[in-house]
Amino acid sequence: MEPAIAAVDTSGPRTPRPARAAPPARPLRTRRRGRPVTVPSVLLSLALGLWGVRREGTLWRDEAVTYDMARRALPDLWQTLGNADAVHGMYYLLVHGLFALCGDADPLLVLRLPSVAATAAAAAGVACLGRLLAGARAGLFAGLVFAVLPGVQHYAQEGRSYAMVCALVVWSTYALVRAARAGGRRWWAGYAVLVLAACLLHEFAVLVLVAHAVALPAAARRRWSAVAAAVVTALAPLALLSQRQAGQVEWIGGLDGEAVWPVLGLWALGLAAFGCLARRQVRRGVISLPVLGLALLVLPTLTLWLVSLAKPLYVGRYVLYTHAGAALLLGAALDRLARGGPWRTLGVAAGVAAALAALCPQSLQLRTPDSRVDDTTAAARALRVAGQPGDAVLYLPLRRRVWSLPYPWAARGLRDIALARGPVASRTLYGAEVAPGVLRERLLAENRVVVVTDPAGRPPAAEPGERVKQHVLARHFEVCAVRRAHAARVLVYARPGHC
C-alpha cells in the first residue's frame, strides 16, 4: 500500500534558491492615434486661402462696409447696430477687436485672414466628420474636396462672416454626431454652443437645424428638440431686431437662373455620389454619411428657396455651409470608387486630375478684382480723377457712398451736397441725406456735379430723394464725361454750355 503521507527527505538541509528577479515593467500602452486626415485638408485650404489673398489691393462693397463698421468707436458701432445690419453685429464686434489688436497692420489682411483660418478649420471639420462616419480615407478625400470647391475658395478670401459661420456649422454637426452616438451632456452642450454661435454670426445658420433633424436617428430627437428650442429662443431677439431692419434686403431679387443653376449642378453631383453610397452606408438607427451629407447639401437651400417665394431672401453665400454636405458625399464616393483595384484607382485619379484642371481657370479668376460684384478701389480712383476741387459730388443711390468710405482721399476737395449727417453721426451705414426739397434746391444751384452711380441698365431707385436726383439731372444737366470702373460709373454732369 502507498503511504498516506509522503516520506520526508532526511538527507540534510537544502540550500535555498535565490529569489527570481521581477520582470521589467511593460510600458503603458498608449492609445493609437488615427491617421492625420485633417493635416492635408488644412494645409491645402491655407495654401488656397493665402494665394492672392489681397486681390490686387481691392475691396468690394460688403467688405468696405465691414471695414467702416469695424473701425468705428465701440459706442458708435453699438448704436449703429440698433438701426442697421444687426444680423452682422457679432461679426463686426469681432473684427473691431482684431483691428484694435493689430494696430497698423495691413487692413486687407486683418479683414481676410480670419476667413482664411475659418475655412481651414471648416476643412478640418469636414475631414473629421468623414472619418467618423465612413473611415479615414473618406475623411481625407472629403476635406480635400471641400477645400477646392469654388464657392469655398471664394469666401475664404472675404472680410465677411460666411467662412466663420461655415466652420461653426461643420463643427456643430460633428458635435451632433458624437452626441447622438455617445449621448453625453458634454457633446450636447457643445452642439448647442456651436449652433448658437453660428446663428449669432448670421441668423440664416439656423436653417442647418432642418438638415440635422432629418439626419438624426429617432432615439436622439428628443434631446435634439430641447437643444434646438433653446437655440431658437436665444436667437429670437436678434431675429426680431433684424426684422425691423428688413429694408436692407430689399435689393434681393427673386430666384433666377443665375442663382439657381450653379446650385442645381452641385446638387446633381451630390445626388450622384449619394447613389454610389446609399446601398451599403444608409443604416437605420444611426447617423449615416449619405443621409447627413444630402440633407446638409439640399435642405437649408431648399428651405430658403421656399421662404423666398413669399419674401425674396435667397443669396447663395447665406448658406455657404451646404458645401460641406457636397464634400462629404463626394469624398466618401471617391473612397468607395478607389477600392476596386489599381486600374479603378488610376481611373479615379485621372478623373480627379481632370476636375482640378477644369477648376483651375475659375480659381485663377477668383483672385482678381473682377471676381466680385464691384471694386470699390476702382470706383474711388475714378471719382478722384473725374472730380475737380470745388465740384459737387452726388451718390445715386445713396448707398453707393460706401465706395468712398474706405478711401477718404477719393472725395477730398469735393462737396457732398446731399449729405446731412455722415455715417457715424447718423448711426447708419451710408449716412443720412437732406430732405428731397432741400436737395433739389442745392442741385439747381450747381454748375457741375460728379455723380457716382451704378452701371447702365440697373433699375432706378424708388425713394423720393433718389427720384429728385434723377429728375433734376435729366432736366437741367447734360453728361460731359463718363468714367467706368468695375460695376460702377462716375459721370460728370454740367449745365448746358459749362462742359
Side-chain angles (χ1 to χ4, degrees), residues 7 112 172 296:
R112 292 177 184 157
S172 73
L296 193 57

Side-chain angles (χ1 to χ4, degrees), residues 156 289 304 405 426 428 449 459 471:
L289 185 144
L304 194 53
L405 293 181
S426 62
T428 62
V449 182
H471 177 76

Side-chain angles (χ1 to χ4, degrees), residues 103-464:
D104 296 329
D106 185 338
L108 281 176
L109 296 182
V110 176
L111 278 177
R112 292 177 184 157
L113 287 182
S115 291
V116 174
T119 304
V126 170
C128 288
L129 263 174
R131 178 177 61 187
L132 188 63
L133 294 171
R137 190 164 62 174
L140 173 64
F141 289 160
L144 294 174
V145 168
F146 178 81
V148 301
L149 288 174
V152 173
Q153 291 189 58
H154 184 116
Y155 292 102
Q157 295 188 330
E158 283 208 354
R160 297 298 277 175
S161 64
Y162 307 111
M164 290 186 183
V165 172
C166 184
L168 289 167
V169 166
V170 167
W171 281 105
S172 73
T173 306
Y174 179 83
L176 177 65
V177 175
R178 296 296 299 266
R181 288 187 174 186
R185 291 183 179 179
R186 182 183 65 174
W187 287 110
W188 283 112
Y191 171 66
V193 169
L194 289 168
V195 170
L196 181 58
C199 293
L200 291 176
L201 278 175
H202 196 282
E203 60 190 8
F204 283 175
V206 76
L207 297 175
V208 78
L209 295 177
V210 180
H212 289 169
V214 170
L216 267 180
R221 283 180 184 161
R222 183 176 178 182
R223 299 189 75 171
W224 174 86
S225 298
V227 171
V231 168
V232 171
T233 302
L235 184 62
L238 176 60
L240 291 173
L241 178 58
S242 62
Q243 181 61 32
R244 296 208 307 266
Q245 302 170 2
Q248 286 185 244
V249 293
E250 293 298 331
W251 60 270
I252 300 177
L255 297 175
D256 56 18
E258 187 178 354
V260 170
W261 284 115
V263 176
L264 293 181
L266 194 59
W267 284 7
L269 284 175
L271 285 168
F274 180 86
C276 176
L277 300 169
R279 290 183 181 178
R280 295 185 180 180
Q281 292 194 14
V282 175
R283 294 175 292 168
R284 291 185 177 182
V286 297
I287 296 181
S288 64
L289 185 144
V291 173
L292 176 63
L294 192 62
L296 193 57
L297 171 63
V298 173
L299 292 180
T301 301
L302 184 59
T303 304
L304 194 53
W305 280 0
L306 293 174
V307 172
S308 295
L309 295 177
K311 165 72 174 174
L313 288 173
Y314 174 74
V315 179
R317 57 184 177 268
Y318 293 170
V319 285
L320 175 66
Y321 51 84
T322 59
H323 285 68
L328 286 171
L329 291 167
L330 293 171
L334 287 173
D335 172 46
R336 182 164 181 201
L337 291 172
R339 293 178 184 177
W343 288 107
R344 200 167 177 180
T345 302
L346 187 62
V348 171
V352 170
L356 291 175
L359 289 175
C360 192
Q362 190 170 1
S363 295
L364 290 169
Q365 194 267 343
L366 286 173
R367 275 80 190 171
T368 67
D370 292 341
S371 63
R372 269 53 180 184
V373 172
D374 58 9
D375 179 357
T376 63
T377 312
R381 288 171 181 160
L383 173 59
R384 185 62 179 165
V385 172
Q388 297 177 6
D391 281 351
V393 63
L394 198 66
Y395 296 92
L396 179 63
L398 72 88
R399 61 179 175 271
R400 295 299 167 245
R401 190 173 281 107
V402 71
W403 286 335
S404 301
L405 293 181
Y407 313 103
W409 47 263
R412 188 172 293 134
L414 305 181
R415 295 174 293 109
D416 192 343
I417 60 172
L419 188 65
R421 289 175 296 155
V424 176
S426 62
R427 308 292 191 263
T428 62
L429 296 182
Y430 314 117
E433 295 194 337
V434 297
V438 176
L439 178 56
R440 179 184 177 83
E441 292 177 4
R442 291 185 179 181
L443 266 174
L444 290 173
E446 298 294 332
N447 287 325
R448 273 175 55 100
V449 182
V450 181
V451 179
V452 182
T453 189
D454 291 323
R458 295 284 179 88
E463 293 82 359

